[in-house]
Amino acid sequence: MNDVNPSTADWDLSDTEEQLAMQLDSLEPENEATAAPIETTNSSVDEAGVKFVVGGLLAGFEFMVKKVAKNPYLKVPEETGDALAEKLIPVLDKYDVGTPEFLDRWKEELELGMVFAGVCVGLYQQHVEIQKQLIAQAKTQEVTTSDNQGAESEKKAA
């Protein structure tokens, strides 16, 4: 009958191979009860957190580019954030980048602050757009009023 747990005891190994086999055996747990659980994901990075941060950064970048380029029609597509996050996660894993230990203590507060800042930026953008619309309306009414006054004065003069 075949042995379920094969060993190197019956193999004809060189001294170097035997030493390596002993080192390997010392690294393997004796039974499954003491074995460390296997991670189900390949990434040590919080994917949802990365997507959230990337989304916030892209929104800020979009806002800045709109102001610098003076073009309110520029828009970063939403799928860009997902694609960027998907490519960023392996890089973060490669360099073992994570939340610094000193920030772990305030993780929830930082997330709350980021969400609140996003709400504030959104409200500010709405305010700017409303102000532009009000200014445009005022200019339109001013032009219409001056045209009407000019037409009335021409009628009186004739």
Side-chain angles (χ1 to χ4, degrees):
M1 192 167 168
N2 289 342
D3 191 11
V4 177
N5 295 321
S7 70
T8 58
D10 298 328
W11 296 0
D12 186 24
L13 301 174
S14 69
D15 289 338
T16 304
E17 291 172 329
E18 285 182 17
Q19 289 175 351
L20 290 173
M22 286 176 24
Q23 288 177 359
L24 183 60
D25 288 341
S26 69
L27 294 176
E28 294 177 0
E30 292 299 319
N31 60 34
E32 290 185 24
T34 61
I38 298 173
E39 288 188 40
T40 56
T41 62
N42 294 338
S43 176
S44 62
V45 178
D46 177 24
E47 187 175 337
V50 170
K51 285 184 178 183
F52 177 74
V53 170
V54 166
L57 290 174
L58 281 178
F61 180 73
E62 179 183 292
F63 179 75
M64 180 190 69
V65 169
K66 283 181 178 181
K67 293 296 177 191
V68 170
K70 297 180 182 176
N71 185 345
Y73 302 107
L74 295 174
K75 180 97 176 117
V76 176
E78 289 188 31
E79 58 270 6
T80 302
D82 291 339
L84 185 60
E86 184 180 312
K87 298 298 181 188
L88 179 61
I89 290 171
V91 174
L92 294 175
D93 282 338
K94 179 179 179 180
Y95 295 104
D96 196 26
V97 176
T99 306
E101 289 181 23
F102 68 93
L103 290 179
D104 279 342
R105 181 175 174 190
W106 297 290
K107 180 181 178 185
E108 293 81 10
E109 289 84 353
L110 291 170
E111 289 174 350
L112 173 64
M114 289 173 60
V115 170
F116 185 70
V119 169
C120 290
V121 168
L123 288 173
Y124 175 74
Q125 288 176 330
Q126 288 178 27
H127 169 72
V128 168
E129 290 301 315
I130 290 170
Q131 290 295 339
K132 286 179 183 177
Q133 290 173 359
L134 291 174
I135 290 170
Q137 275 182 337
K139 286 181 180 179
T140 304
Q141 287 176 349
E142 186 178 291
V143 168
T144 306
T145 305
S146 65
D147 286 345
N148 288 341
Q149 288 176 354
E152 288 177 16
S153 62
E154 288 178 11
K155 287 180 184 178
K156 288 180 185 179

